[in-house]
Amino acid sequence: MDLRVSKLTGFEQLCINYTNEKLQQHFNQHVFKMEQEEYTREEINWSYIEFVDNQDVLDLIEKKGGLIALLDEACMFPRSTHETFAQKLYTTFKNNKRFVKPKLSRTDFTVVHYAGDVTYQADHFLDKNKDYVVAEHQDLLNASSCPFVASLFPTLPEESSKSSKFSSIGSRFKLQLQSLMETLSSTEPHYIRCVKPNNLLKPAIFENTNVIQQLRCGGVLEAIRISCAGYPTRKTFYEFVNRFGVLGPELLEGSNDDKIACQKILEKMKLENYQIGKTKVFLRAGQMADLDARRAEVLGKAARIIQRLMRTYIARKQFVLVRRSTTHLQSFVRGTLVRNLYECMRREAAAVKIQKNVRRHKARESYLLLQAATVTLQTGLRAMSARKEFRFRKETKAAVHIQARWRCHRDYSHYKNMQRAVLTYQCAWRQRLARRELRNLKMAARETGALKEAKDKLEKRVEELTWRLGLEKRLRTDLEEAKAQEIAKLQETLHDLQLQVEEAKTMATKEREAARKAIEEAPPVIKETPVLVEDTEKVNSLTAEVDQLKALLQTERQATETAKKEHAEAERRNEELMKKFEGAEKKIEQLQDTAQRLEEKATNMESENKVLRQQAVAISPTAKALAAYPKSPFQLRTPEIVNAPNGEVKSSPDVTPISLNLKELEAEEKPQKSLNEKQQENQDLLIKCVSQDLGFSSGRAIAACVIYRCLLHWRSFEVERTGVFDRIIQTIGSAIEVQDNNDKLAYWLSNSSTLLLLLQRTLKTTGAAGLTPQRRRSTAASFGRVFSGIRASPQSAARPFLGSRLIGGLGDLRQVEAKYPALLFKQQLTAFLEKIYGMIRDNLKKEISPLLGLCIQAPRTSRASLIKGSRSQANALAQQTLIAHWQSIVKILTNYLNVLKANYVPSFLISKVFTQIFSFINVQLFNSLLLRRECCSFSNGEYVKAGLAELEQWCIYATEEYAGSSWEELKHIRQAVGFLVVIHQKPKKTLKEITNDLCPVLSIQQLYRISTMYWDDKYGTHTVSSEVISSMRIMMTEDSNNAVSSSFLLDDDSSIPFSVDDISKSMTEIEVTDVDMP
């Protein structure tokens, strides 16, 4: 409550000003004296602040022989009047400097309060100070058998009844105020100063003189002066050394005195205007934040040194281990290769002579048969094509004629329907307008008795609502039913009392008329006066009882309304809990599904590791030697091409146990070279074809389908060794070396996803459970294995080649037993897919990052034009300038979307790209908003909100298929901007409304930073109330005590947000036979 000078000069205003004086004295003692005692106790250098003490005013009012005591004394004498009371005041306080007698009045007096001079009129002081309740009447009503009547007149304390039979309002008010001050002294109060801006009670008008006078009288300027001259941050010596000792560890060596250590640390940091007391260090505002920043810098440097040394040790240890393992592996592999080469030369020489004649005969027969079939097939196909073209042209001409007739009929029917609909709508609208006009005329005609009818309706409505509320309360609890019955009884009692009052008033009026006539006819009779006084006292007591009953009724109604609101609030909380429970159940189901998938993946990886270990054992020299001898002595092993030193290409044939002479070996070596060269030529043709941009057929990637069909035809998935997979991986790696070519990256992203989908649905492992390649978050680790492995020709090279480079006519996808090279190729392809996806995402981030720095803060010229609010052409240009950067971002997003759609990238991957990009935009904009105060303004919030509207329009344009949940990723910046642009409701919002309704996603730290940094440069509104700020500060303190992270910034997630299974589930089935081959 603030001290103020009011125009009211009665007894009530004296009590109010007396209360204000008491509260002002308590404020001075609590704020000024405690602050100064703290500084004095610590013995620091500070200037003593003198403040005005109002104890003499309180002595004038409440002390023995003061205003209240003299007023009670005057009330006890029956012949005392307001003039005698005023004269007694003049004589008693004529030498008091706080009491002034006006010159032109006999009953007025002036008291010099703390807030200023107030003149009081003593005309009604005696009447208002008296308590007309007679003690005998009070005892009689208190002994009533009705509990309600007895509660209205409680028994007075024995002390007051014994001391004096007279009871005054001033004395009781004084005792109650003393009790209030004792309560305030036992607690820790907080003060809220209310300042009246003007005396006209109108908004947007500030009277500087009036406002500064109120602040000076209320002691606010004194409190500000003490705070400015004080030290808000205080820490003990131990706490200061324990926290900031890292800033100067050399200062703590050999010194056990914390005070000296604190002095040295502060001198080293070059801080000024601080004070060191007996037990504490006193810092100015902002110095603690500077020390914390320097402490964080020192700790960060130490952590980086430890990390550097540890990483060096781990890298050195790993390098030595890899080098030793590589040396052993190289020696073992070279020995194995030499032994296998010798064996191959022996075996191949024996089989070449037989193969030569057989292959020549089969090739001749196959060529003749194929030539005859080709001629026949070409003749039939050309004839069929000609007939098909003729039939198509004929059908097209007929279809065009039918379409023309049908469109004419459709458009004419649509026109007729629209014409009828327009006429019907016009009639209905005109009818509605006529009815509205008729209703207005009728309401205007009934306007004469509107007030009376409204009153009757309101009374009926009140009765109906009371009845309904009583019914609901009876259905819920017996207690509420009793309340409803009590309210009904009170209404009946009130009605009866109103009737009694009316009757008493009528009787009093009649008696007064009779008394007046009797006085006119006869001499005045003294005995009639007590009768009139007694009747007047009865009327006043009945009126007071009626007022009390009305107040009680109003209290019951308010209690009923409060109970109703609490019930509605409980229902709302119950609904919120149900929603949270349903959300928790959904999250539990999702976590269970995720756990099940992780268990399945773990099982698959264990099976895969088991199979790979078995295959590694099978590659040992002993196993190879056993597997090299098949049942048939003529089984073929394709030779490995070796480059001789002179540049010639030589083959290394196997050698059989059959003894052949050297001439036969030389004669049989030539056909084997031609077979290897033919197979190498096929692979070269595939690589050359894939290196080109083959495009798409029916929305399918042609290159992926070509690679898949060739690998499936050559049965490369089923061999133990092959080099075609490495060549394909090298081709893809060389194609994506240029990271800035988004069109090329999108093309290979589409081909990689398509090929990976075909492999996922085709390959199966030889183990008990299917092997799923492990999803790799780090693509760099998987690329180290791309070019590793032992290269050899496929085992199926001995099978006859069917004479076509790309054999078509494959059926549906079938499951193939995959060997180790196929599984390794699948993992490498998965790594390349994740790498290409990351490159496209990072390129998009690089392009929009410079624009995001311009989008977080509006240009000054544009902002100024918006604040002026002009609607000229310059304002329109300013609006265009504001959203130019946002439109550039939308244009970049649209270009990327068009590129990805043109290359038929799966919509699942497109949605993931834009979801992560929108998450990146959300993180950048939100962090910039929290770190820069100039961005937390109203006009800047409007600017960012307009830009977010552009992004929302883009999401609508891109559709949910390609945008996905991108718009939901902007929830942090959207809620922060929504908080900034709330104009009038911000100071009225409570913390619960802000955290639950306005900004449910933002944390307390983020809300506190936005609230404290907010400033309105357009309308001059204020941020949230101080109560909300203090509540946020308390919650932040609790979170810091509970070891909760206090970081208010967001982190960008650059991981790969999908797995091979997700791609397989999201993409549709691919029919390889429907794709047109090049």
Side-chain angles (χ1 to χ4, degrees), residues 141 153 494 497 540-550:
L141 294 174
F153 300 94
L494 178 61
L497 291 175
N540 293 334
S541 65
L542 291 175
T543 305
E545 291 179 358
V546 170
D547 294 337
Q548 291 178 359
L549 291 175
K550 286 183 179 180

Side-chain angles (χ1 to χ4, degrees), residues 74-197:
C75 292
M76 294 172 63
F77 293 99
R79 295 184 180 182
S80 296
T81 61
H82 56 277
E83 295 180 353
T84 59
F85 170 66
Q87 292 299 326
K88 191 169 186 179
L89 293 178
Y90 298 156
T91 57
T92 304
F93 303 114
K94 61 181 179 179
N95 296 326
N96 196 324
K97 62 179 181 179
R98 292 289 186 172
F99 185 86
V100 179
K101 175 186 177 183
K103 295 181 180 180
L104 302 178
S105 178
R106 299 178 58 187
T107 59
D108 297 347
F109 62 93
T110 302
V111 178
V112 182
H113 286 282
Y114 180 85
D117 299 346
V118 181
T119 302
Y120 299 96
Q121 295 177 356
D123 294 344
H124 301 285
F125 267 48
L126 300 178
D127 297 336
K128 293 180 179 179
N129 190 46
K130 293 179 181 180
D131 189 358
Y132 291 102
V133 179
V134 183
E136 289 77 5
H137 296 175
Q138 186 171 1
D139 296 337
L140 179 61
L141 294 174
N142 186 29
S144 175
S145 60
C146 180
F148 175 72
V149 176
S151 63
L152 294 178
F153 300 94
T155 305
L156 294 175
E158 295 181 0
E159 297 178 358
S160 62
S161 62
K162 290 180 180 179
S163 61
S164 176
K165 295 183 179 180
F166 176 74
S167 175
S168 65
I169 301 297
S171 300
R172 279 192 283 174
F173 183 80
K174 177 181 176 182
L175 294 176
Q176 293 175 359
L177 183 57
Q178 290 178 356
S179 176
L180 173 63
M181 298 311 297
E182 291 175 358
T183 303
L184 290 177
S185 300
S186 62
T187 59
E188 185 180 354
H190 297 275
Y191 294 89
I192 299 175
R193 292 296 181 181
C194 301
V195 179
K196 184 170 69 174

Side-chain angles (χ1 to χ4, degrees), residues 603-616:
T603 305
N604 293 338
M605 286 189 288
E606 291 178 359
S607 302
E608 182 180 3
N609 293 332
K610 183 178 179 181
V611 172
L612 292 177
R613 285 195 297 269
Q614 293 176 358
Q615 292 178 355

Side-chain angles (χ1 to χ4, degrees), residues 111 143 177 303 345 351 469 489 541 680 703 836 886 967 997 1008 1028:
V111 178
L177 183 57
M345 292 175 64
L469 183 61
K489 291 179 180 180
S541 65
Q680 187 70 22
I836 297 171
W886 292 98
W967 179 246
D997 302 332
Y1008 176 79
V1028 176

Side-chain angles (χ1 to χ4, degrees), residues 460 479 487:
K460 292 180 181 179
L479 180 60
I487 290 173

Side-chain angles (χ1 to χ4, degrees), residues 66 86 134 192 414 478 493 527 602 621 623 731 800 836 854 862 975 993:
V134 183
I192 299 175
H414 180 69
D478 295 335
T493 306
K527 295 182 179 180
T731 303
I836 297 171
L854 301 174
S862 302
Q975 293 185 8
E993 293 176 350

